[in-house]
Amino acid sequence: MLAIPLALALGCLILLPGAAALAQTASPSLEKAFAASLTTVPTAPLSASGSFYVPAYSSVSLNQGKARADFSVTLSIHNASDTKPLVIRRIAYYDGTGKMVQSYLDKPVALKPFATIEAFVPTLDTRAGTGANFVVDWAAEGDIAEPVTEALMLGTFASGHYAFISQGRAIKTVGKE
């Protein structure tokens, strides 16, 4: 009788480490997933640029650190300009020690005016832990409205369902008045 629960528990332990990697490889690239939101990267000099830091709570410690709730994270990057493309140079996902866990772009992409792209971290991907965060680097030709960056966390713990948002904070801006 003990053999069946033990076998199930061991099976879960074997599958868990690979679940995050499988979830990451199964998703299409941002360029493919959001092709309709993208335009050609401008060739003119990009005189405005900046970086945003976005806290992303993929895991939250509970009960004085004795329990943990895991959440999926959707990072949304919105071009707030109605006339100019916004170039996204980097979307990097970091853990609580400051180590980069994943880069979401192979090369810069340009968002159409008022367009949005998203990066997704599945619930089972706990690589970044309780101190997870994104850094988004952007640029544009001349004066442009700053992009809007937010992370939406969704998850279940015990019998409750939880959702909350974390807003990005500018950590560097160049060429803006």
Side-chain angles (χ1 to χ4, degrees):
M1 199 65 145
L2 181 62
I4 293 173
L6 182 60
L8 287 172
L10 287 174
C12 288
L13 288 175
I14 291 168
L15 292 175
L16 262 171
L22 179 61
Q24 289 300 317
T25 58
S27 61
S29 71
L30 289 179
E31 293 90 341
K32 288 181 183 177
F34 295 95
S37 295
L38 301 177
T39 188
T40 305
V41 174
T43 56
L46 303 175
S47 58
S49 64
S51 295
F52 277 90
Y53 176 92
V54 188
Y57 302 94
S58 62
S59 294
V60 177
S61 294
L62 303 168
N63 196 18
Q64 299 176 346
K66 296 176 184 171
R68 186 182 79 200
D70 298 325
F71 298 93
S72 66
V73 179
T74 301
L75 171 73
S76 293
I77 304 165
H78 305 268
N79 181 357
S81 172
D82 62 343
T83 59
K84 294 184 179 183
L86 174 73
V87 176
I88 305 300
R89 292 180 165 163
R90 173 174 71 140
I91 302 171
Y93 184 50
Y94 291 88
D95 70 11
T97 68
K99 177 183 168 201
M100 189 169 74
V101 173
Q102 183 172 348
S103 174
Y104 282 83
L105 290 178
D106 293 326
K107 61 183 181 191
V109 297
L111 281 139
K112 294 176 183 175
F114 287 150
T116 301
I117 60 172
E118 297 175 344
F120 181 72
V121 180
T123 305
L124 292 176
D125 184 349
T126 59
R127 296 175 295 165
T130 58
N133 62 83
F134 287 95
V135 174
V136 177
D137 294 341
W138 62 271
E141 291 180 59
D143 197 27
I144 190 171
E146 273 192 340
V148 176
T149 56
E150 295 178 317
L152 169 66
M153 281 62 63
L154 296 170
T156 303
F157 184 76
S159 61
H161 301 284
Y162 302 92
F164 54 100
I165 292 175
S166 175
Q167 295 183 334
R169 292 153 180 85
I171 56 174
K172 180 175 81 171
T173 303
V174 177
K176 300 257 318 149
E177 295 179 8

